[in-house]
């Protein structure tokens, strides 16, 4: 059954709607709806105003022109049929998304916004435009609703590591990326020693720590400690800066706020409680385990695509004050689009071979790179 269309953006004509560029990836661009002088939370649900109520708490995601991404109806169908059934409460566990019909005039407006913002976009994204597509998507906005909110954002990555490795897959990949960055630095600048020191001084938090925090006080302490650093520290990546990530690297754990020392104590307590008791990360781990072991060797390419989707999602944890003056915690997974395995398969296989052959899983790469992998940290603590 095809996904249900919830709105036709052609009805925004005459509604004094503007768009603000939020961010982009290789296949999609995200915009915010702006209604100058209007509070859409108070608009009556009648006539043409109905669409404004639908847009409340949503962002607009539209496809880029000239990409190999799947059409949005197919993406949403996949999300509804393959992703949602893996979770017993998808409304609570997953950032919701809805199909909307685009309009040529809307696409033109969006491209005009991009043109104005072009100089601020990632260099290799500059000049790209919104596709003249029939459909886009409304996605649940998991950003801070208030300046006082606490927002935690991280990628859980691979929560089911190989039992024969001494590093989890994510930390093995980070070690490989550090080697790439070191080689790049040494070939480009005489100050490569300083660059190398910077790259090696602060490896990212291991994603397994977030799951281990439920039973390990040491892991919980390391997760909380990483949040103090996350506003200025990021994992090592050779990708250029983006609007979403100005440092040019993907934070392992990103805390949107002034730092833990400035956070409302009630929020701090709520975050610690969530880390210790949440069911979301165990659900994601269980969903990943259904597709193990060794999906890279499977002959079922659709299963491989699903496995890689689950390993590349983003977790948002938003802590805010509720209407009664209490504390509310919302935790959801996002970025669960269908992967184009035909376009990605060779890359996945080549990277896996490099990690195995280079000794990154066993921590015997040359020169050896220290990581913060949970297994390595536990080994050091035990010795």
């Amino acid at each position: 059954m095809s996904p249900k269309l919830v709105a036709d953006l052609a009805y925004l004509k005459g509604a004094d709607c503007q768009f603000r560029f939020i961010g982009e990836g290789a296949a999609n661009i995200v915009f915010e709806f702006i209604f100058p002088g209007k509070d859409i939370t108070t608009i009556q649900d009648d006539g043409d105003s109905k669409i404004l109520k639908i847009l409340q708490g949503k962002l607009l995601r539209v496809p880029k022109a000239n990409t190999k991404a799947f059409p949005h109806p197919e993406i949403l169908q996949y999300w509804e049929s393959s992703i949602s059934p893996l979770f017993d409460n998808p409304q609570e566990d997953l950032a919701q998304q809805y199909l909307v019909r685009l309009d040529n005039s809307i696409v033109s407006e969006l491209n005009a916004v991009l043109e104005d913002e072009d100089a601020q976009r990632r260099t290799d994204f500059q000049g790209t435009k919104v596709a003249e597509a029939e459909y886009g998507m409304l996605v649940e906005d998991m950003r801070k609703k208030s300046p006082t909110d606490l927002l935690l954002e991280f990628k859980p990555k691979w929560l089911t590591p190989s039992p024969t490795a001494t590093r989890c897959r994510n930390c093995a990949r980070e070690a490989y990326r550090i080697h790439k960055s070191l080689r790049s630095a040494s070939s480009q600048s005489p100050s490569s020693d300083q660059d190398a020191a910077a790259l090696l001084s602060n490896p990212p938090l291991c994603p397994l720590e977030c799951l281990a925090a439920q039973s390990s006080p040491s892991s919980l302490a390391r997760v909380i400690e990483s949040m103090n650093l996350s506003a200025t520290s990021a994992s090592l990546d050779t990708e250029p800066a983006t609007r979403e990530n100005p440092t040019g690297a993907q934070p392992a754990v990103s805390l949107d706020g002034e730092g833990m020392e400035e956070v409302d104590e009630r929020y701090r307590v709520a975050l610690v409680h969530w880390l210790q008791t949440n069911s979301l990360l165990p659900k994601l781990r269980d969903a990943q385990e259904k597709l193990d072991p060794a999906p890279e060797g499977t002959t079922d390419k659709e299963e491989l695509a699903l496995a890689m989707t689950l390993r590349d999602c983003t977790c948002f944890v938003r802590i805010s004050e509720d209407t009664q003056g209490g504390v509310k915690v919302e935790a959801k997974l996002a970025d669960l689009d269908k992967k184009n395995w035909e376009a990605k398969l060779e890359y996945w296989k080549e990277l896996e071979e490099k990690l195995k052959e280079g000794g990154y899983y066993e921590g015997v790469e040359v020169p050896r790179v220290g990581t913060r992998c949970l297994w390595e940290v536990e080994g050091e603590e035990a010795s």
Side-chain angles (χ1 to χ4, degrees), residues 87-88 92-93 214 274 277-284 286:
F87 298 85
D88 56 10
E92 180 179 313
D93 295 334
Q214 296 199 338
W274 182 85
T277 64
N278 79 88
S279 62
L280 183 59
L281 296 182
K283 288 178 185 178
L284 178 60
D286 293 347

Side-chain angles (χ1 to χ4, degrees), residues 165-224:
T166 55
R167 270 192 192 135
C168 73
R169 199 272 185 186
N170 188 67
C171 290
R173 183 170 184 260
E174 287 299 331
Y176 169 72
R177 293 163 77 181
I178 289 172
H179 269 181
K180 283 185 62 178
S181 298
L182 292 176
R183 287 194 295 269
S184 176
S186 64
S187 65
Q188 293 179 10
S189 169
S191 60
S192 58
D193 288 344
Q194 294 180 354
D195 295 334
L199 289 169
L200 294 168
S201 63
N202 188 37
L205 181 75
C206 175
L208 297 182
E209 297 274 28
C210 295
L211 193 58
Q214 296 199 338
S215 57
S216 168
S218 296
S219 286
L220 178 63
R222 284 190 289 267
V223 173
I224 295 299

Side-chain angles (χ1 to χ4, degrees), residues 281-298:
L281 296 182
K283 288 178 185 178
L284 178 60
R285 176 201 59 206
D286 293 347
Q288 291 181 356
E289 284 181 347
K290 290 180 181 179
L291 299 162
D292 280 338
E296 292 73 25
T298 183

Side-chain angles (χ1 to χ4, degrees), residues 109-136:
E109 286 186 53
L110 298 177
N111 279 325
V113 172
L114 286 181
E115 187 174 350
D116 290 341
E117 294 277 352
D118 206 47
Q120 307 303 318
R121 299 168 69 191
R122 201 171 99 173
T123 304
D124 56 335
F125 286 164
Q126 290 176 358
T128 58
K129 296 184 177 182
V130 176
E132 294 183 0
E134 184 177 0
Y135 298 100

Side-chain angles (χ1 to χ4, degrees), residues 97-354:
Q97 44 195 27
Y98 311 89
L99 193 67
V100 291
R101 193 186 306 278
L102 300 176
D103 174 85
N104 288 340
S105 62
I106 296 292
V107 171
S108 296
E109 286 186 53
L110 298 177
N111 279 325
V113 172
L114 286 181
E115 187 174 350
D116 290 341
E117 294 277 352
D118 206 47
Q120 307 303 318
R121 299 168 69 191
R122 201 171 99 173
T123 304
D124 56 335
F125 286 164
Q126 290 176 358
T128 58
K129 296 184 177 182
V130 176
E132 294 183 0
E134 184 177 0
Y135 298 100
M137 201 114 66
L138 296 182
V139 295
E140 185 174 0
D141 188 355
M142 287 301 296
R143 299 175 301 168
K144 294 168 66 173
K145 292 182 178 180
S146 164
T148 60
D149 289 355
L150 173 64
L151 181 66
L152 171 66
E153 177 185 351
F154 65 98
K155 282 187 171 290
K157 291 293 187 179
W158 297 50
L159 297 178
T160 56
S162 169
T164 61
T166 55
R167 270 192 192 135
C168 73
R169 199 272 185 186
N170 188 67
C171 290
R173 183 170 184 260
E174 287 299 331
Y176 169 72
R177 293 163 77 181
I178 289 172
H179 269 181
K180 283 185 62 178
S181 298
L182 292 176
R183 287 194 295 269
S184 176
S186 64
S187 65
Q188 293 179 10
S189 169
S191 60
S192 58
D193 288 344
Q194 294 180 354
D195 295 334
L199 289 169
L200 294 168
S201 63
N202 188 37
L205 181 75
C206 175
L208 297 182
E209 297 274 28
C210 295
L211 193 58
Q214 296 199 338
S215 57
S216 168
S218 296
S219 286
L220 178 63
R222 284 190 289 267
V223 173
I224 295 299
E225 179 186 10
S226 75
M227 295 174 190
N228 288 315
L229 302 173
S230 61
T232 56
S233 301
S235 65
L236 303 168
D237 198 339
T238 56
E239 293 299 316
T242 67
R243 175 70 171 266
E244 300 152 298
N245 186 10
T247 65
Q250 173 63 52
V253 178
S254 173
L255 184 68
D256 188 354
E258 299 301 320
M260 288 296 290
E261 66 280 358
E262 302 294 335
V263 171
D264 186 317
E265 181 61 23
R266 297 175 305 157
Y267 291 4
R268 188 198 307 265
V269 171
L271 176 58
V272 169
H273 184 262
W274 182 85
L275 287 167
Q276 292 177 314
T277 64
N278 79 88
S279 62
L280 183 59
L281 296 182
K283 288 178 185 178
L284 178 60
R285 176 201 59 206
D286 293 347
Q288 291 181 356
E289 284 181 347
K290 290 180 181 179
L291 299 162
D292 280 338
E296 292 73 25
T298 183
T299 57
D300 187 336
K301 300 304 188 295
E302 292 298 331
E303 185 176 276
L304 172 59
L306 179 56
M308 300 309 286
T309 294
L310 293 174
R311 289 165 172 162
D312 197 36
C313 64
T314 302
C315 182
F316 292 92
V317 184
R318 181 170 59 201
I319 303 176
S320 59
E321 189 171 83
D322 62 24
T323 56
Q324 306 301 316
V327 175
K328 177 173 63 174
V329 179
E330 302 165 274
K332 300 196 175 192
L333 301 176
D335 300 332
L336 286 160
D337 284 358
K338 181 179 182 179
K339 298 288 187 184
N340 187 338
W341 65 263
E342 292 180 315
K344 295 279 190 178
L345 184 57
E346 286 307 312
Y347 166 75
W348 289 337
K349 285 185 174 180
E350 288 176 8
L351 178 57
E352 195 65 16
E353 289 175 2
K354 289 176 181 178

Side-chain angles (χ1 to χ4, degrees), residues 73-94:
E74 187 173 346
I75 290 174
L76 186 55
Q77 174 65 32
Y78 182 81
W79 184 81
E80 292 178 348
S81 63
S82 298
I83 301 295
S84 293
L86 296 173
F87 298 85
D88 56 10
N89 192 348
Q91 285 283 337
E92 180 179 313
D93 295 334
L94 306 179

